[in-house]
Amino acid sequence: QVQMGVLKTPLFFFFFFFFYLRFVFHTSMESPTKLAIVQKVIGRTGSRGQVTQVRVKFLDDQNRLIMRNVKGPVREGDILALMETEREARRLR
């Protein structure tokens, strides 16, 4: 008598796919990306200067300005897609 492993049952694949879709849609609805435009480049930070600190203004809320750390090339006028918008970067010293 040949036994099928748990990973080969159709029921396992159904539940795996169901929970995967639930995770994807839950996280996308919970925290949608917000677009922000770079107003000012403050300076470089990080142990080797690999991070740029910038001040951004949200496109949907024009009154809100926050500071963020950006890894990679960035300049004034660039539009960033921010996954998380509640935290603000600490000021450079």
Side-chain angles (χ1 to χ4, degrees):
Q1 182 178 11
V2 178
Q3 292 182 346
M4 290 181 66
V6 174
L7 298 178
K8 294 182 181 178
T9 60
L11 191 61
F12 173 78
F13 284 115
F14 171 76
F15 281 114
F16 176 77
F17 187 67
F18 172 76
F19 285 114
Y20 173 75
L21 287 178
R22 185 173 162 212
F23 171 75
V24 168
F25 285 116
H26 179 69
T27 54
S28 65
M29 289 187 299
E30 182 179 288
S31 61
T33 60
K34 290 196 176 185
L35 299 178
I37 189 165
V38 176
Q39 292 289 333
K40 183 179 180 185
V41 176
I42 306 296
R44 308 285 289 190
T45 185
S47 61
R48 297 180 185 92
Q50 71 272 25
V51 178
T52 308
Q53 197 166 61
V54 297
R55 183 181 311 273
V56 297
K57 178 167 68 171
F58 291 98
L59 294 179
D60 60 346
D61 185 7
Q62 294 288 322
N63 298 327
R64 190 166 171 216
L65 289 167
I66 65 170
M67 305 233 332
R68 291 300 296 253
N69 292 330
V70 179
K71 189 169 183 181
V74 65
R75 60 182 172 199
E76 291 182 14
D78 285 354
I79 295 178
L80 303 177
L82 302 176
M83 301 291 285
E84 194 274 325
T85 59
E86 297 301 319
R87 292 188 300 141
E88 186 168 354
R90 286 182 275 171
R91 306 255 186 250
L92 284 174
R93 292 185 225 159

